[in-house]
C-alpha cells in the first residue's frame, strides 16, 4: 500500500523425520494450529485468518452518518449535489499468513503457534478498546511469521520493528508484509530486521549494507525510544530464555519506560528427576520474574527485593477471541512485564 514504509528488507507438538522437503535429515515438529492443513504438503502454505471486529468500534465506523437521505439537494446554480454512497460497515477483515506446516526446531519461526494467536487477540483488544498502542514505537522479538507486529501497523503513526534471526524466517516475514499491504495504515511504518539474542545489544550497524535485514543507526536509536515490546511462544529452551532476558535487561533499562507483553504456552515433559510431568521451561522463565501481587504484599515496588523484572499475569477471560477458528487451550498465558531499576 502506498505510503507504508517497509524497509526490506517446544515440544508438545507432533514430531517426525523429514520426508521430501523441509529441513532434510532433521526431526520435524508441527504446531497444533496446522492440524487442518493439507497432509504431506511441503514448502510454504498460505492460511487466511478471519479477524472479527467489535460492533460500534470508532476505528471501523464510517466517518459519515449512517443515515441516508431521500431528499435530493441542489447547489446555488441548481446543479444536483451528489452525496457519498454509504456502504455497510465491515465487521471483519482477513489477514493472510505464509508459513510452513512442519519445520525443524531451529526453524519453528516458520510456523504459526497458539500463543501467537492469543497475543494477536490481546493486541487487537487493546487497539479496539483503548489508545494505549496508538502512535507507538514497537519491537516484536522472535516474531516468526510477523502476524502480531503486522496488526500494529493498522494504526496511524505506529512504527513497528519485526525481528527474528535467519534469512528464511526474515524473508517469510517480508513476504507476509507484502501479502497484507492492503490492511496497513498509510501512515504506519514496518521494518523487518535481524536480531540474534546471543549477540550484544545494540546490533552491529553496517553502512550501505547489502543485507536487506541489517540495521541503520537511526533505526537502533528509534528502537531505544520504543515503549512497547511483544513476544509470543519464545519460551521453549532455557538457553534461549537466558539470552532473551539478557537482551531485555539492556533494552528495558535504557530510554523511556517500556512494557513487554509475552505470550507463552506451557510445555510439559516427563522428568526423571521429579518422576512427574513438569513444565521445566516455564519454571525457568518464572524464575526471572517477581510477581506484582507478591510485591504488593511486601509493601510496593520501592522495596529493594523488587528490583529487576516485575510480572503481572493477564486474565485471558477478559480478552475476547477476535481471531476465528482456533482453540486457545488451557496452557497459554500472557504476562505484562516491566523492568524496575535499582
Amino acid at each position: 500500500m502506498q505510503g507504508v514504509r517497509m524497509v526490506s528488507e517446544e515440544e508438545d507438538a507432533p514430531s517426525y523425520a523429514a520426508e521430501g522437503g523441509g529441513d532434510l535429515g532433521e526431526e520435524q515438529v508441527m504446531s497444533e494450529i496446522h492440524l487442518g492443513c493439507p497432509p504431506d504438503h511441503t514448502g510454504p502454505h498460505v492460511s487466511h485468518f478471519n479477524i472479527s471486529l467489535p460492533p460500534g468500534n470508532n476505528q471501523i465506523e464510517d466517518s459519515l452518518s449512517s443515515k441516508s437521505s431521500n431528499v435530493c439537494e441542489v447547489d446555488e446554480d441548481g446543479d444536483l449535489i451528489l452525496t457519498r454512497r454509504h456502504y455497510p460497515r465491515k465487521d471483519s477483515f482477513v489477514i493472510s499468513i505464509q508459513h510452513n506446516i512442519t519445520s525443524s526446531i531451529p526453524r519453528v519461526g516458520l510456523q504459526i503457534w497458539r500463543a501467537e494467536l492469543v497475543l494477536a487477540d490481546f493486541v487487537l483488544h487493546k487497539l479496539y478498546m483503548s489508545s494505549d498502542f496508538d502512535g507507538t514505537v514497537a519491537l516484536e522479538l522472535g516474531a516468526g511469521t510477523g502476524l502480531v507486529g503486522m496488526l500494529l501497523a493498522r494504526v496511524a503513526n505506529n512504527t513497528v520493528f519485526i525481528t527474528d534471526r535467519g534469512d528464511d524466517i526474515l524473508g517469510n516475514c517480508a513476504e507476509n508484509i507484502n501479502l497484507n499491504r492492503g490492511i496497513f495504515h498509510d501512515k504506519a511504518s514496518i521494518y523487518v530486521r535481524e536480531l540474534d539474542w546471543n549477540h550484544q545489544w545494540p546490533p552491529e550497524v553496517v553502512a550501505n549494507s547489502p543485507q536487506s535485514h541489517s540495521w541503520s543507526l537511526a533505526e537502533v536509536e528509534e528502537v531505544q525510544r520504543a515503549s512497547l515490546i511483544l513476544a509470543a511462544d519464545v519460551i521453549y529452551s532455557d538457553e534461549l530464555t537466558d539470552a532473551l532476558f539478557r537482551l531485555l535487561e539492556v533494552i528495558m533499562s535504557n530510554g523511556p519506560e517500556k512494557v513487554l507483553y509475552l505470550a507463552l504456552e506451557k510445555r510439559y515433559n516427563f522428568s526423571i528427576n521429579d518422576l512427574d510431568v513438569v513444565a521445566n521451561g516455564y519454571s525457568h522463565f518464572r524464575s526471572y520474574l517477581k510477581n506484582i501481587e507478591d510485591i504488593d504484599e511486601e509493601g510496593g515496588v520501592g522495596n529493594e527485593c523488587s528490583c529487576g523484572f516485575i510480572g503481572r499475569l493477564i486474565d485471558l477471560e477478559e480478552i475476547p477471541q477476535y481471531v476465528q477458528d482456533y482453540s486457545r487451550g488451557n496452557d497459554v498465558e500472557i504476562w505484562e512485564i516491566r523492568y524496575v531499576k535499582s
Side-chain angles (χ1 to χ4, degrees), residues 53 137 197 208 213 216 232 257 337:
L53 305 180
V137 177
W197 303 346
N208 303 316
H213 307 303
S216 71
E257 182 181 6
I337 300 172

Side-chain angles (χ1 to χ4, degrees), residues 11-299:
E11 291 77 79
D12 275 342
S15 64
Y16 47 88
E19 295 182 1
D23 307 312
L24 191 61
E26 295 184 82
E27 185 180 29
Q28 300 286 287
V29 296
M30 182 174 70
S31 167
E32 291 182 356
I33 298 298
H34 302 157
L35 291 179
C37 292
D40 303 322
H41 179 88
T42 60
H45 175 79
V46 177
S47 294
H48 306 283
F49 291 90
N50 192 61
I51 312 294
S52 64
L53 305 180
N57 182 261
N58 58 12
Q59 293 188 22
I60 56 178
E61 292 283 3
D62 194 299
S63 59
L64 300 178
S65 169
S66 60
K67 295 181 180 179
S68 59
S69 172
N70 295 321
V71 179
C72 293
E73 297 181 24
V74 294
D75 62 15
E76 59 185 5
D77 296 322
D79 297 320
L80 182 67
I81 297 176
L82 298 179
T83 57
R84 177 180 174 182
R85 177 180 292 180
H86 297 280
Y87 295 94
R89 178 182 64 81
K90 293 182 179 180
D91 60 2
S92 67
F93 69 92
V94 174
I95 188 166
S96 300
I97 299 295
Q98 175 177 281
H99 60 92
N100 282 14
I101 296 176
T102 67
S103 71
S104 63
I105 290 177
R107 294 177 174 83
V108 290
L110 292 172
Q111 298 192 56
I112 301 168
W113 298 89
R114 196 195 312 268
E116 181 178 8
L117 298 180
V118 177
L119 185 60
D121 281 334
F122 175 78
V123 167
L124 288 163
H125 191 63
K126 281 283 195 179
L127 292 175
Y128 297 152
M129 300 303 173
S130 76
S131 58
D132 292 353
F133 292 174
D134 291 3
T136 190
V137 177
L139 171 68
E140 185 179 7
L141 299 172
T145 63
L147 168 62
V148 176
M150 286 192 293
L151 294 173
L152 286 171
R154 287 174 54 79
V155 178
N157 302 317
N158 275 359
T159 300
V160 186
F161 290 90
I162 293 176
T163 69
D164 213 310
R165 67 181 298 270
D167 289 340
D168 48 356
I169 294 174
L170 296 170
N172 191 61
C173 278
E175 178 59 27
N176 281 328
I177 290 172
N178 284 326
L179 285 173
N180 294 283
R181 283 183 173 274
I183 72 169
F184 301 146
H185 198 285
D186 59 0
K187 292 183 179 179
S189 303
I190 186 165
Y191 302 81
V192 177
R193 291 291 175 262
E194 182 157 34
L195 185 57
D196 189 333
W197 303 346
N198 288 305
H199 295 169
Q200 289 187 339
W201 177 269
E204 182 180 5
V205 173
V206 181
N208 303 316
S209 171
Q211 301 296 323
S212 59
H213 307 303
S214 298
W215 293 83
S216 71
L217 179 59
E219 291 164 0
V220 171
E221 292 174 344
E222 187 158 22
V223 167
Q224 203 57 66
R225 295 192 295 270
S227 59
L228 175 63
I229 304 175
L230 299 166
D233 226 325
V234 295
I235 305 299
Y236 55 89
S237 158
D238 289 355
E239 182 179 340
L240 283 177
T241 298
D242 293 338
L244 171 63
F245 277 94
R246 285 195 300 268
L247 174 71
L248 288 171
E249 183 172 3
V250 175
I251 294 178
M252 298 181 75
S253 62
N254 291 283
E257 182 181 6
K258 298 170 175 60
V259 59
L260 163 67
Y261 290 102
L262 187 149
L264 60 88
E265 184 169 5
K266 297 179 185 177
R267 288 182 167 81
Y268 295 93
N269 296 282
F270 183 79
S271 167
I272 295 294
N273 293 332
D274 299 307
L275 294 179
D276 198 1
V277 176
V278 296
N280 284 326
Y282 178 75
S283 300
H284 190 66
F285 158 74
R286 285 297 310 273
S287 71
Y288 277 95
L289 299 184
K290 185 74 172 179
N291 196 314
I292 189 66
E293 294 180 359
D294 297 334
I295 293 172
D296 289 341
E297 292 177 1
E298 294 167 2

Side-chain angles (χ1 to χ4, degrees), residues 290 294-295 298 300-308 310:
K290 185 74 172 179
D294 297 334
I295 293 172
E298 294 167 2
V301 263
N303 281 337
E304 184 178 348
C305 64
S306 65
C307 300
I310 311 300

